[in-house]
Amino acid sequence: MRGSFICGMRCSPQTRIASAPRRGYLLAAPQSCTPAAGGEKQAVEQTNEQATRERAMLNPWKSAAAAALATLLISCGGGGGGGGGGGAGIGLLPPPTSGTPAPTPQPEPVASTYTTFALLPYRSVVVSFSKPNPGPGESVEMRTLNAFKNAGGVGRDMAYDAKRDRLYISMGTRILMIPKASQASGDVTKAQYDVLSSGLGSFSTMVLDAERDELWLGGPMSRLHGALVKISNISAAYGQIRTLESIGPQETRPVASYQVWYIRSSMLMRFAIDPTRSLVYTSDGIGGVFDLATLTPARKEPTGDPVYEELVAERNAPVRMLFNGTNMFATDVALDVARNRLYVLGGDGREIITINGASTANSPGTFSRLPLSTVNSSIAVDAKNDRLYVGGVDNNAYIFNNASTITAGTVVPGTSVLGAPESVAGKGVVWGISFP
């Protein structure tokens, strides 16, 4: 409710009063004097008569102002006076003793803590857990989301939008979107999810840029080439994404749009995006780095379908190959954009390769290599909390705090189990980990 602040209190519009024009009057102090004669006496009488008239004019204003002030104070319910200068303070009327009591302030809703997710594709479930950095062997409360029981399919990758509390799961040609993901548990019914059809092909991996509201998809296109897709305004997407740009002018809601690049990458299974430097890092074995600014996007048919042209894809080549001529091999990548630091899951998942100054790095001899004792399948970095996750093959993961300090000599912690109790019996790979 809008109102005015008077005497440090807010009053409702119904009790506001129009301010009367302020007028100042100079009243002579009473004096004791002897009668004057002649013109002086006449001047004194005129002065007294003028003063009398001014007092008569002032009385109605004073009475009205006093009445208005009393009404205002009653309607405001009284209040405390501020500190003043010399002289006595103003006495306020006490608050009324009758009327409806003020409502009791309600506490703010408590945000869910289940905002870290692990994708267990061989169990066809997603697990959310309440603590993002459980220690090895620590028992952490978890929830199991049977995300695919009604939607069908198998999850290949996922991304969490904490700003909108949405979980996106890549299922090849479809994208499963679960709203209120941090509150979800058990079977995810048809009323609790939405399925977006890319209409653009089949994709194995996704990267979400929540601040820009962009979802990136990637996957192999042919033996030599891969497809990279950027969907803008993903939070407004519905139905089949490739048809959204052709919606008629009567459409008033914002809709998603997309752009496709076919690139020279024979194994585009996983990738990382640096939106500030317009770079793409791929896990195509040799660690190809692409500059989006130099890539030619695929042209579109009038129907909205992208056109795959081998010649264009061949020209969309990497500007650098991080591991060319070495025995290093990339199977997954994760990027800390702010620190310009790239994490690569190398070889068969038994080492972490860290690359500082990734946007310009071109000397493999400076890369740090930390061996792991077990085979692993995925890697993800929580740059905000400087935490690195390496997903294993037995529903477990390595969790490194202070990830930016990882070197070849870092002590590797024990693994943490990320599967809820009912899913531990059927152990499998942790194919992705998402977090705010």
Side-chain angles (χ1 to χ4, degrees), residues 336-358:
D336 183 337
V337 175
R339 295 180 176 88
N340 196 19
R341 181 175 166 95
L342 185 69
Y343 299 90
V344 181
L345 185 62
D348 59 356
R350 291 181 181 269
E351 71 172 344
I352 300 172
I353 305 170
T354 56
I355 305 174
N356 291 317

Side-chain angles (χ1 to χ4, degrees), residues 50-131:
Q50 181 180 355
T52 301
R53 287 195 303 269
E54 289 176 344
R55 281 194 295 269
M57 293 173 62
L58 178 61
N59 285 335
W61 285 105
K62 293 170 64 178
S63 300
L69 179 60
T71 302
L72 177 63
L73 291 174
I74 292 173
S75 61
C76 280
I90 300 177
L92 301 180
L93 297 177
T97 57
S98 61
T100 304
T104 303
Q106 298 298 317
E108 292 292 329
V110 178
S112 173
T113 58
Y114 291 84
T115 57
T116 303
F117 302 86
L119 175 61
L120 310 178
Y122 291 104
R123 292 290 300 165
S124 293
V125 298
V126 173
V127 174
S128 63
F129 41 104
S130 58
K131 186 176 180 179

Side-chain angles (χ1 to χ4, degrees), residues 33-45 48:
C33 57
T34 56
E40 294 181 359
K41 178 178 181 180
Q42 182 178 0
V44 171
E45 289 174 351
N48 290 337

Side-chain angles (χ1 to χ4, degrees), residues 189-373:
T189 66
K190 291 183 178 180
Q192 294 176 299
Y193 66 82
D194 190 15
V195 175
L196 308 175
S197 172
S198 72
L200 302 170
S202 180
F203 301 96
S204 58
T205 187
M206 62 169 48
V207 176
L208 177 69
D209 185 344
E211 291 302 315
R212 293 173 175 81
D213 199 19
E214 295 173 347
L215 184 68
W216 294 77
L217 305 173
M221 182 67 194
S222 68
R223 186 176 61 87
L224 299 175
H225 302 137
L228 188 66
V229 179
K230 179 180 74 171
I231 304 173
S232 302
N233 205 21
I234 182 62
S235 64
Y238 59 95
Q240 191 174 84
I241 292 170
R242 75 166 177 81
T243 66
L244 295 178
E245 294 178 329
S246 59
I247 288 179
Q250 71 277 8
E251 181 66 64
T252 58
R253 64 184 294 184
V255 295
S257 60
Y258 76 91
Q259 185 63 68
V260 180
W261 295 266
Y262 295 111
I263 60 177
R264 190 201 298 175
S265 177
S266 60
M267 297 173 60
L268 183 59
M269 300 300 292
R270 296 279 173 144
F271 66 93
I273 295 287
D274 184 344
T276 63
R277 301 175 181 88
S278 190
L279 296 175
V280 181
Y281 299 89
T282 66
S283 63
D284 58 356
I286 55 178
V289 182
F290 294 82
D291 184 351
L292 282 170
T294 65
L295 298 181
T296 301
R299 61 183 179 89
K300 299 177 184 178
E301 297 282 10
T303 58
D305 291 295
V307 180
Y308 168 56
E309 297 173 295
E310 288 190 12
L311 183 59
V312 174
E314 191 65 21
R315 290 174 178 171
N316 285 339
V319 294
R320 282 178 292 136
M321 292 178 287
L322 297 174
F323 305 137
N324 195 26
T326 73
N327 65 345
M328 289 182 278
F329 187 86
T331 57
D332 197 3
V333 292
L335 179 68
D336 183 337
V337 175
R339 295 180 176 88
N340 196 19
R341 181 175 166 95
L342 185 69
Y343 299 90
V344 181
L345 185 62
D348 59 356
R350 291 181 181 269
E351 71 172 344
I352 300 172
I353 305 170
T354 56
I355 305 174
N356 291 317
S359 61
T360 57
N362 203 22
S363 178
T366 64
F367 302 167
S368 173
R369 304 176 69 174
L370 176 65
L372 303 173
S373 60

